[in-house]
Amino acid sequence: IYCGGCCDPSSQRNQRRVKPQLEEKDKKTYPVFVAIKYKTQVVAGTNYFIKVSTHNSNDERVHLRVFQSLPYQKEEPSLTRYETGKTRDDPLEPF
């Protein structure tokens, strides 16, 4: 079961925390980085699938999979996977 919708505060927080991880892995700077939509999957923690707008002037999007461990583990969210080259029309599907 996947839940989601427009972005809630925790998905916004998570996408801000993983922006440096994405920029390091993708070797690219993202001047705009705004979560548009998200889905969650509960595992031994939570996977957040987040659609992020990366430019003001076009419809370029990046899809992120961010893992947030259980609260007692007190770990920062981590970017576990990402997909570039997405557009506003691409569906946000678990990957």
Side-chain angles (χ1 to χ4, degrees), residues 6-78:
C6 293
C7 286
D8 72 338
S10 64
S11 64
Q12 290 283 358
R13 242 186 339 272
N14 285 338
Q15 60 90 22
R16 281 193 304 270
R17 290 178 177 164
V18 299
K19 181 182 178 196
Q21 295 174 44
L22 176 64
E23 290 177 334
E24 182 179 328
K25 289 180 180 186
D26 202 30
K27 308 277 189 264
K28 185 175 176 180
T29 300
Y30 291 96
V32 174
F33 205 73
V34 179
I36 304 295
K37 189 175 186 180
Y38 79 101
K39 291 183 177 185
T40 59
Q41 176 188 38
V42 177
V43 290
T46 304
N47 281 323
Y48 289 87
F49 299 92
I50 308 170
K51 180 183 278 197
V52 176
S53 175
T54 56
H55 286 89
N56 283 330
S57 61
N58 64 28
D59 74 340
E60 186 177 330
R61 304 290 188 265
V62 174
H63 292 184
L64 310 175
R65 182 170 71 191
V66 177
F67 177 72
Q68 177 64 65
S69 63
L70 295 170
Y72 77 90
Q73 294 173 311
K74 298 182 187 217
E75 294 179 9
E76 289 293 314
S78 62

